[in-house]
Amino acid sequence: MIIEFFNYALNGALLGLLYALVAMGFVVIYRASKVFNMAVGEMLVLGAFLVWWAIASRGMHPAIGLGAAVAISVLVGLAIERLLFRRLIGESVFSMVMVTIGLLILMRGLVLVIWGPQERAFPVLIPLQPIIVGEMIVPRPLLAAGVLAVLFAFGLHWFFNRSRAGLAMSAVAEDHQIALSMGISVRRSIAFAWALGGVMSVVASVVYLSGKSLTFLSSEVGFASLPVALLAGLESLRGLLLAGLIVGVVQGLTAAYVDPLIGGNAASVVPYIFMLGVLIVRPTGMFGWRRIERV
């Protein structure tokens, strides 16, 4: 019984770290441009289809195929910034959010037009055999997601807080007009943020879909990771790890012990209820920046 509990908790924690890795797509773009990108799930699906196209359809070596998918995703991110968000520099946050909703619809439509609605087998890029230690069973893709989430969280935290380019991007997120007055290129910072978002979409798609079926509906993981992003705070990268662990463990234990009792799917709802409870107490999330405004 105790082993089962720890098994459910461990797998839930790793699933939460996967959500944290996906949620970095929200935080990276928001941290650098103050744009809340609602199309994170669709960017992940586009990255996944590019990986499938390069490796499964064109027969490229996995390393070359991943490199090609990353390169195209970066170009897509740069195109999104150039065609949509460059014109919105200095505009309200609401305007930018509405544009990302339109981007979500557009990208889903493009995926359907190019690849259709049918399921496709995503390449097995991470071994599917679980790691078994005693009675503990750990899926390798989830373990890989956990390791990558930790590496990216600390690496991006260092980048935004220690590098000159990262500090400039943080200044852009604070206020476009002030950043311009300081001689910081807002266009360059936002373009780099979207390019980085394209890289993150490919990385997250590989650990999430390796050996699974790929359809346009795979974008739902973007909304599943939303509670993690909001719970941590949209400026905190390392905070995503703790938020992911909390959400993942709660969801895993709910699926194991509550769902069988009520015959429902409470596990998919509990993270959102938990998120709303925290945001009522602290709207900026656990680690979000508190802004002080003079009246």
Side-chain angles (χ1 to χ4, degrees), residues 2-270:
I2 296 178
I3 295 296
E4 286 185 0
F5 174 84
F6 281 109
N7 209 359
Y8 290 133
L10 176 61
N11 282 275
L14 292 176
L15 178 62
L17 290 177
L18 170 62
Y19 289 156
L21 184 63
V22 177
M24 287 179 196
F26 290 108
V27 176
V28 163
I29 292 177
Y30 186 87
R31 179 75 181 264
S33 62
K34 211 173 184 179
V35 175
F36 187 75
N37 180 23
M38 298 295 294
V40 164
E42 276 61 33
M43 290 184 67
L44 183 147
V45 166
L46 177 62
F49 269 107
L50 290 173
V51 173
W52 173 86
W53 169 81
I55 297 176
S57 179
R58 298 302 176 189
M60 296 183 185
H61 186 276
I64 298 175
L66 285 174
V70 167
I72 297 173
S73 292
V74 167
L75 292 176
V76 170
L78 292 174
I80 290 172
E81 182 277 332
R82 182 62 182 267
L83 297 176
L84 298 178
F85 292 97
R86 181 166 294 189
R87 304 173 186 272
L88 295 175
I89 292 175
E91 297 295 331
S92 66
V93 176
F94 177 78
S95 300
M96 294 190 177
V97 170
M98 294 305 295
V99 171
T100 64
I101 294 175
L103 178 63
L104 181 156
I105 299 170
L106 174 63
M107 293 188 71
R108 179 168 293 195
L110 287 176
V111 167
L112 284 171
V113 168
I114 297 172
W115 288 288
Q118 62 267 33
E119 292 187 358
R120 290 177 170 83
F122 193 83
V124 181
L125 300 177
I126 301 174
L128 299 180
Q129 296 83 2
I131 298 174
I132 301 176
V133 181
E135 298 183 28
M136 301 290 290
I137 302 175
V138 181
R140 290 178 189 266
L142 284 183
L143 182 61
V147 172
L148 286 174
V150 173
L151 292 177
F152 272 97
F154 281 90
L156 290 172
H157 176 81
W158 177 88
F159 172 75
F160 279 109
N161 291 279
R162 295 289 184 269
S163 69
R164 186 169 183 175
L167 290 171
M169 293 167 74
S170 297
V172 170
E174 281 289 330
D175 191 285
H176 290 178
Q177 298 301 331
I178 293 177
L180 285 171
S181 68
M182 296 172 63
I184 297 173
S185 174
V186 174
R187 293 179 177 179
R188 188 183 306 161
S189 295
I190 296 178
F192 186 80
W194 281 94
L196 189 56
V199 174
M200 295 300 303
S201 68
V202 174
V203 173
S205 70
V206 170
V207 294
Y208 173 56
L209 291 167
S210 182
K212 298 180 181 178
S213 296
L214 169 63
T215 70
F216 71 99
L217 293 176
S218 301
S219 62
E220 292 177 355
V221 70
F223 287 105
S225 65
L226 182 59
V228 175
L230 295 180
L231 183 61
L234 290 173
E235 298 89 359
S236 178
L237 286 157
R238 293 188 299 182
L240 287 173
L241 300 178
L242 178 58
L245 290 174
I246 293 172
V247 169
V249 170
V250 170
Q251 188 173 21
L253 295 180
T254 301
Y257 296 107
V258 177
D259 285 352
L261 294 177
I262 64 175
N265 191 18
S268 61
V269 180
V270 166

